[in-house]
Amino acid sequence: MPYLGGEETVRELRRALSNPNVQSDPLRYRNTILKVIRTMSQGVDVSGLFSEMVKACATVDVVQKKLVYVFLCSYATLNPELSLLVINTLRKDCQDPNPMVRSLALRNMTNLRLPSLVEYVEQPLTAGLRDRAACVRRVAVLGWAKLHNLHPSSEIDAAVVNELYSLLRDPDPVVMVNCLRALEEILKEEGGIAINKPITHHLLNRLKECDIWGQSEVLRVLQRYRPQSEDELFDILSLLDSFLVSPHPPVMAATLSLFLSISSNLPVISLAALERVSGPLLAACGSGSREMRFAAVCHIQLLLRSVPGLLGPHYKRFFCGYAEPAYIKERKMQVLVELVNDENVAMILDELKGYCTDVNTDTAQAAISAIGRIGRSYSDRCLQILTGLLGLKQDHITSAVVQTMRDLVWVCPQCSDTVCLALDGCEETLQDIQGRQALLWLLGVYGERISTAPYTLEVLIDRVRSEASLGIKMELLTATMRLFLCRPAETQDMLGRLLHYCIEEETDMCVRDQALLYYRLLHCGIEKTREVLQGRRSDPSLGVLIGRPAKPVSQWARCFNTLEPLSQGAVEAESDSRGSPEHVTYNSKPNADLSDTLSCSHIEEVHSGSDSAMRCSDSSTNVLASSIAAPLSLSLSPAVSPEDFEHLWLQRQALHTERGAEKIEEVDCAWIEECVRCPAVLHCSPQSLQAAMQLVNIQTLAFTPQQMLPWRVYLYTHTQRSHSMDAPNTTLILGELLCTGEANQKSGVKKGTADSEAGAEGKEDQLVRKEMDATADRLRVSEDGQEEEEGIKVILNQQPKDDDALRQFLTILITVLNTLSSEKD
């Protein structure tokens, strides 16, 4: 037997297909064609048999036609010229008395997907729309959609569109649904099919005739229609009432989505619909399909936002099965957290405690995190379980427990005493980075209550040279500084050793700059250092888990029955990898202005082309800590190289110059220019400026030396707003700080013009000296004799555009600049 993938196999099949004896025997000929298809399915290239297979399509045997058409559709794009030989046979089959042959010919005629064959396909498709057989009309309708995909830029004849609209009243329900799909595809640029009152009522009356997927398609399209009166609305809801409790999850989900869409102004109706679908959703959670179970649990999380106690009596349905995958277990545990109350808290905690020792580490850590969230309302019971888990001395369990305790004391400060007692000795078990960062944060914030805190930090400081994690080193610096403020006698020596290593020996610029910032901060005095480092220890404004207000249905109705709930995490998703709770943004006051959070008084914005300037009063030295807690998260990842920065900056600067500030929005980016008065920043060393920027996750790429004109600083960062569903998740901001000293030059020139022309050359030397003096103190002399501070121009470019994120970032940047300016003064 020849080798399966060799050319000998193709030659043998060609000889068999060309053998007259084989062609004269229909059974042998069909079996040979079947061998060709089998060989093709095994990955062998049999495109060389295309001409022989073209001859084989001229037969009355339907089975042989199907086999040959499978081959031709697979290799037509490789043989476009030979494919023209098939058209005559296909067009002839479109007129065959057998409707199965006609539908088969139409389907494969459009499946060839060759632009050169379009002119031969249109006439058979038009005739197929009027065919007496329903199976032919089904194929013809979808054939027009395939033809549109082949040439999306070309417009289909309006007569064909009208014909498709008329086929919405076809007696066959499959033809009706296929027309909806075809019109949606053909009229995509126009917003899809036009849904009016007659079409809506026709589709609703024929909904029961469709199959499951047809019903789902019809219900999805009907979401665009808005009832013209309240009576019509209730008539539609009455027709859909039986589908709301359909045993088929796709139909039930599509019906509920339609309910929520057309009754958005009637919250009572929406809540009643949510209560009715609780039964079908619970049934879907017990489906044999893992995908169906996962989707059902994710959509139940949406329902619980508006009706928290809807499924409270059925909490046992969300207990995890042994054989369930980890992703379903994690979502079920998130639902259990939402269903906890005074009656079932003991049962749920006992069940979650069993999951904490699961062989899957992700499941175990998710269970520990769930217990910590329940601890917001039942702290004593949860802390007892968490403390017991520390006794197991397992790395991943201890790490998850320490992180959970850190998050718990951030929300519930009354738990701090119990947590401090439980931390004794757990540092010996911790190995992973997140767990050690959580422990360091606890040691730094509550070090005065933990007797062994200095000794634990001393061991880590002695090993800092072998520490590979950048996050551990930076958290160790902060923790040691905080512990020094409350226990100076025990910490002074180790802090000196740590700062000496980080400044003199550390190669990473982030660690070195943070150490320099702390070193210079200590020179400002203990009180100033305490104001900056000892910020909030907790955030009780997050509230407890029980008794939270229900959210309106309109907040999540648009994403129901989509893939969005599957990608979202818990209702209050928390970051799994962070070093400090202060670095996580909790938007507890969505409508509050960011300027209220920062210690910065009034800010007067000035866009390009305006004569006014931005003013900001002297801010206290704790603004850095306050700015970190703003409802905006900044990140340095992914990194932007200097070459990439230069390319993007010059490209967008040229775009801004050519199109202007108004038309630049067409490319989904924002460009603003502001002026800030903080003259002392020019006297700050580049190391101090870089360290201050990196403390709030702003990376400086290039800067000119201090007191050099023009003075420039280039920077970038990534913004992320996790609580905003409408805005983009992340944006890239490129920035430039610029001070040219033009104002000083203008004032000097004005004074120089009053002198005689004879001493012009000497005046130029005086102007140079005055300019150097002005660079030292950054003062500008106005016409009325008053001294005004020199302004620094802030130029920001953001893509994609997010006005709120850009405004908040600008406020943080101004706060950092004013903080550096006040410290320099």
Side-chain angles (χ1 to χ4, degrees), residues 688-762:
S688 300
L689 180 63
Q690 186 177 20
M693 293 292 184
Q694 286 187 342
L695 190 62
V696 291
N697 286 337
I698 301 175
Q699 180 65 49
T700 56
L701 286 178
F703 37 77
T704 55
Q706 56 188 22
Q707 300 182 3
M708 179 75 68
L709 289 177
W711 182 83
R712 299 176 185 269
V713 176
Y714 291 100
L715 51 91
Y716 79 89
T717 189
H718 297 271
T719 67
Q720 182 173 5
R721 299 198 310 160
S722 57
H723 293 279
S724 179
M725 299 178 62
D726 298 329
N729 289 333
T730 59
T731 65
L732 172 63
I733 295 181
L734 308 178
E736 178 187 10
L737 308 181
L738 174 63
C739 181
T740 60
E742 294 179 356
N744 294 307
Q745 294 175 4
K746 292 179 181 179
S747 62
V749 170
K750 180 177 294 187
K751 293 175 64 178
T753 54
D755 299 330
S756 61
E757 297 179 356
E761 296 181 357

Side-chain angles (χ1 to χ4, degrees), residues 78-319:
L78 300 178
N79 301 273
E81 297 180 357
L82 291 177
S83 300
L84 290 172
L85 302 175
V86 191
I87 288 298
N88 289 332
T89 304
L90 290 172
R91 289 172 65 91
K92 182 180 178 181
D93 288 344
C94 289
Q95 300 175 0
D96 194 274
N98 189 348
M100 183 179 297
V101 176
R102 297 200 302 270
S103 64
L104 183 64
L106 275 179
R107 178 182 292 110
N108 290 278
M109 191 179 295
T110 54
N111 286 343
L112 291 176
R113 295 189 177 277
L114 293 175
S116 58
L117 304 181
V118 172
E119 56 181 327
Y120 303 101
V121 178
E122 291 182 349
Q123 190 275 332
L125 285 178
T126 305
L129 295 177
R130 305 182 184 93
D131 198 280
R132 62 182 181 276
C135 61
V136 180
R137 296 197 301 273
R138 297 175 185 177
V139 175
V141 168
L142 294 181
W144 281 108
K146 296 177 184 178
L147 209 62
H148 177 73
N149 279 335
L150 194 60
H151 284 283
S153 58
S154 62
E155 295 183 1
I156 294 183
D157 189 4
V160 176
V161 176
N162 293 334
E163 188 78 19
L164 291 175
Y165 268 109
S166 64
L167 284 176
L168 288 174
R169 298 187 178 276
D170 193 274
D172 186 69
V174 179
V175 175
M176 179 186 71
V177 175
N178 286 356
C179 282
L180 286 176
R181 295 169 178 164
L183 288 171
E184 283 285 284
E185 186 67 29
I186 294 172
L187 304 175
K188 183 187 300 182
E189 296 183 357
E190 302 176 12
I193 183 174
I195 301 296
N196 52 27
K197 184 175 180 179
I199 293 178
T200 300
H201 286 267
H202 170 71
L203 295 176
L204 288 172
N205 291 327
R206 298 194 57 188
L207 197 57
K208 293 183 179 180
E209 303 176 16
C210 303
D211 57 3
I212 298 173
W213 298 111
Q215 292 175 356
S216 302
E217 182 72 16
V218 171
L219 292 169
R220 183 187 64 82
V221 173
L222 289 179
Q223 291 186 21
R224 302 179 194 158
Y225 180 71
R226 289 295 176 267
Q228 300 176 3
S229 63
E230 188 172 338
D231 293 337
E232 183 185 1
L233 170 62
F234 284 103
D235 289 340
I236 294 176
L237 296 180
S238 300
L239 288 173
L240 297 175
D241 188 66
S242 59
F243 296 96
L244 200 59
V245 290
S246 172
H248 307 292
V251 178
M252 177 271 300
T255 307
L256 179 59
S257 182
L258 179 57
F259 255 80
L260 300 179
S261 176
I262 64 178
S263 63
S264 57
N265 297 327
L266 300 174
V268 178
I269 301 295
S270 300
L271 293 178
L274 296 182
E275 294 177 358
R276 291 209 63 188
V277 300
S278 59
L281 278 176
L282 284 174
C285 291
S287 173
S289 171
R290 292 181 174 181
E291 292 78 10
M292 186 65 70
R293 274 183 284 164
F294 180 71
V297 174
C298 293
H299 282 80
I300 283 176
Q301 287 184 277
L302 289 180
L303 267 64
L304 293 178
R305 296 185 183 183
S306 299
V307 194
L310 178 62
L311 302 176
H314 309 282
Y315 68 93
K316 291 186 179 180
R317 299 289 295 270
F318 300 98
F319 284 177

Side-chain angles (χ1 to χ4, degrees), residues 59 72 216 262 287 291 396 445 451 530 553 615 684 798 822:
T59 179
L72 296 178
S216 302
I262 64 178
S287 173
E291 292 78 10
H396 68 281
V445 174
S451 58
R530 182 175 284 107
V553 179
R615 302 177 183 271
C684 293
Q798 179 194 42
S822 61

Side-chain angles (χ1 to χ4, degrees), residues 470 474 502 506-516 687 690-691 694 699 703:
L470 171 64
M474 299 183 74
C502 292
E506 178 60 44
T507 58
D508 189 272
M509 287 297 296
C510 295
V511 178
R512 180 175 177 271
D513 291 344
Q514 184 171 348
L516 282 171
Q687 293 80 8
Q690 186 177 20
Q694 286 187 342
Q699 180 65 49
F703 37 77

